[in-house]
Amino acid sequence: MGPKEALIFLTLSVIVISAKRLPKGDLDFETHWVFSSCSLGDTSWQKTFIRSALKSWVTSIQPVRRLKQDSKIIKDARIVGRFHVNDTDYQPLVVGHDDYAWLKYGPEDQGNGWIVGPMKVRESKVTGRGLGFIFPDFHTAIVGDYENDKLFNGHNRNVKAYRCRQGMLELQYEPLKKLSPVFKYEAANETFLTSKPLLMDPYDKRNVYVAPSGIPNAGQGLFAKRTIPAQTLIVTYAGLHVYDEEDLYSEDMTPDEVEDAHKNLMSYDDDYALNIPPDMSSLHQYCSSLGHKVQHKFKNPNADFVFFKHPRFGYVRALGSTRTIQRHEEIFVDYYYSIKGDRCPNWYRTLYHQVFGTKGRPKGNVESDFSRLNFN
Ligand SMILES: *[C@@H]1O[C@H](CO)[C@@H](O)[C@H](O)[C@H]1NC(C)=O
Ligand SMILES: *[C@@H]1O[C@H](CO)[C@@H](O)[C@H](O)[C@H]1NC(C)=O
């Protein structure tokens, strides 16, 4: 696609975005027609502006009621596909010809990727061959097979080209490289996280690196490998499941050992938390996900904890950028530890009082949603 065509493509997307959206309450979560930036007709394979074209496509997707042919917006446009909005799972699914579909994969609006290709979706679970999981940068992808939402035979093959066909945006991926490692879904539990602890996530690998933190004596920190835009998923935070925090400790532990034991504990939901225990905290032992390497900062952190559904790890957490992060900038989050409990680390309590004085953190921040750990 030449720059001119790209411009037309993007302009069309903008027009579509500004088209009147249906009020949310009006969707009855059944079949809707779709109008998107691919509704104007088929294109040949395009290899330029991949990220912006994919992003434009997903933001341009509009569920519409059957519009009259004389409607201004769809004059000469073809409307192809069905749009399912699953209110329970927040999984928008766009299905076009031959079951070719785009499924938003993940909880609610946070940090999602998309699964793309010919698929069947039953009770929100995906089955299909050669499906691409497109990470939120609209470039990095794991292409593999899915059975009931479980990935197998996955390989890192990034998006190489795209085209519009019968109203759907179709994707082509880089060819399979020799000796390319296999990604597959494995269910984590209290004792098991992955059979390949040294296989790095392709998206983490692209976005971040680990190096000594700028905070003195704090150990390793996480740094941006490239410019990361605001409101973007940065890195995955996976871990062993911890159902009872007390399991992490034993009577004979020193305070330092206690601190080490929960250093990477990350809340997930009411049932369990995620953890990278001390015997996995060296990158030589585990580097499949790197979110646990992030350091804490009270003032102006550039990232926050979000929820993510990863084809390899399933439901996990992740870091999302709260503003643009420059290349080589260190990534920080506010851990939001509760300072009331006994297990709050001393360094955190000291820093807390240095930053907020005796009055403490100003009220009004929602603590529970983003807290890494409440120490309740
Ligand atoms: C939506 O979610 C419900 C409950 O999980 C499920 O029964 C239903 O099949 C889903 N619909 C679609 C279109 O995936
Ligand atoms: C955890 O998962 C591993 C690997 O699938 C399995 O061998 C082990 O039995 C599981 N443990 C529990 C407690 O479910």
Side-chain angles (χ1 to χ4, degrees):
M1 173 159 70
K4 204 171 143 197
E5 278 169 285
L7 198 67
I8 293 170
F9 194 89
L10 298 182
T11 311
L12 173 64
S13 315
V14 173
I15 294 171
V16 176
I17 294 165
S18 48
K20 203 176 160 213
R21 280 173 188 267
L22 285 174
K24 205 166 184 229
D26 208 15
L27 294 174
D28 51 13
F29 310 117
E30 291 193 356
T31 299
H32 291 268
W33 298 94
V34 166
F35 182 67
S36 76
S37 57
C38 276
S39 295
L40 286 198
D42 294 355
T43 66
S44 54
W45 288 107
Q46 310 294 335
K47 292 188 173 170
T48 50
F49 303 102
I50 289 177
R51 272 176 218 125
S52 43
L54 268 58
K55 201 170 174 182
S56 296
W57 194 73
V58 301
T59 43
S60 77
I61 298 164
Q62 287 292 311
V64 287
R65 298 249 182 257
R66 272 172 203 262
L67 295 179
K68 290 194 194 98
Q69 210 52 50
D70 59 358
S71 153
K72 261 195 207 124
I73 290 287
I74 62 150
K75 204 157 195 235
D76 299 314
R78 288 177 299 130
I79 303 171
V80 183
R82 291 166 289 141
F83 193 84
H84 302 263
V85 180
N86 202 327
D87 200 30
T88 332
D89 287 3
Y90 296 95
Q91 280 187 305
L93 167 68
V94 187
V95 185
H97 62 91
D98 306 321
D99 293 332
Y100 200 98
W102 279 66
L103 171 72
K104 198 170 184 182
Y105 198 64
E108 305 189 36
D109 284 336
Q110 304 196 45
N112 293 275
W114 291 80
I115 296 195
V116 179
M119 66 177 85
K120 295 257 187 268
V121 181
R122 206 165 287 141
E123 303 202 335
S124 304
K125 293 193 162 58
V126 181
T127 298
R129 300 277 170 272
L131 303 181
F133 174 79
I134 316 300
F135 283 89
D137 63 357
F138 291 105
H139 166 78
T140 310
I142 292 178
V143 181
D145 305 327
Y146 286 78
E147 189 74 49
N148 261 324
D149 235 24
K150 296 193 171 45
L151 168 73
F152 57 101
N153 261 333
H155 291 273
N156 175 210
R157 292 167 60 193
N158 298 337
V159 180
K160 195 182 83 178
Y162 60 92
R163 70 171 177 193
C164 286
R165 205 170 139 253
Q166 296 181 36
M168 295 295 290
L169 193 75
E170 296 184 344
L171 302 181
Q172 240 178 26
Y173 307 96
E174 292 166 348
L176 186 59
K177 288 190 195 93
K178 254 191 197 163
L179 304 176
S180 138
V182 177
F183 291 87
K184 63 172 179 187
Y185 171 78
E186 291 177 304
N189 60 31
E190 294 101 305
T191 53
F192 177 85
L193 177 50
T194 169
S195 56
K196 290 182 182 168
L198 300 182
L199 175 58
M200 274 181 86
D201 179 70
Y203 190 72
D204 285 14
K205 195 171 173 178
R206 198 178 145 71
N207 274 352
V208 297
Y209 62 93
V210 173
S213 169
I215 299 177
N217 306 317
Q220 292 174 320
L222 206 54
F223 293 80
K225 216 180 240 179
R226 59 197 188 88
T227 306
I228 297 169
Q231 313 300 332
T232 302
L233 193 103
I234 306 168
V235 61
T236 304
Y237 197 128
L240 295 173
H241 293 183
V242 176
Y243 287 88
D244 183 354
E245 198 196 315
E246 293 310 312
D247 293 348
L248 301 178
Y249 315 117
S250 57
E251 295 273 319
D252 58 351
M253 278 184 169
T254 65
D256 281 354
E257 285 168 343
V258 168
E259 188 179 321
D260 220 31
H262 69 55
K263 186 171 81 170
N264 296 323
L265 192 58
M266 172 77 218
S267 63
Y268 185 75
D269 64 11
D270 291 346
D271 282 342
Y272 65 90
L274 306 173
N275 190 35
I276 302 293
D279 65 0
M280 283 169 73
S281 77
S282 154
L283 292 180
H284 302 293
Q285 292 151 324
Y286 176 81
C287 62
S288 296
S289 61
L290 296 173
H292 60 286
K293 291 290 176 189
V294 72
Q295 292 286 353
H296 162 87
K297 200 174 176 188
F298 282 114
K299 290 267 158 100
N300 304 320
N302 49 19
D304 217 335
F305 296 117
V306 296
F307 291 86
F308 186 43
K309 187 178 183 186
H310 194 290
R312 174 180 176 196
F313 302 108
Y315 289 97
V316 288
R317 297 205 67 174
L319 298 178
S321 57
T322 52
R323 59 171 169 80
T324 305
I325 301 176
Q326 302 303 330
R327 193 167 167 221
H328 301 312
E329 203 182 323
E330 183 163 0
I331 295 158
F332 290 106
V333 287
D334 187 337
Y335 284 2
Y336 258 110
Y337 284 157
S338 159
I339 62 154
K340 288 177 204 127
D342 300 341
R343 298 224 172 84
C344 179
N346 281 331
W347 65 263
Y348 185 92
R349 192 172 279 135
T350 309
L351 192 63
Y352 182 94
H353 291 301
Q354 270 171 21
V355 173
F356 298 119
T358 45
K359 280 189 176 160
R361 189 191 280 276
K363 294 254 167 2
N365 290 316
V366 189
E367 227 169 282
S368 59
D369 276 6
F370 291 114
S371 68
R372 184 180 232 197
L373 184 63
N374 276 318
F375 297 115
N376 286 327

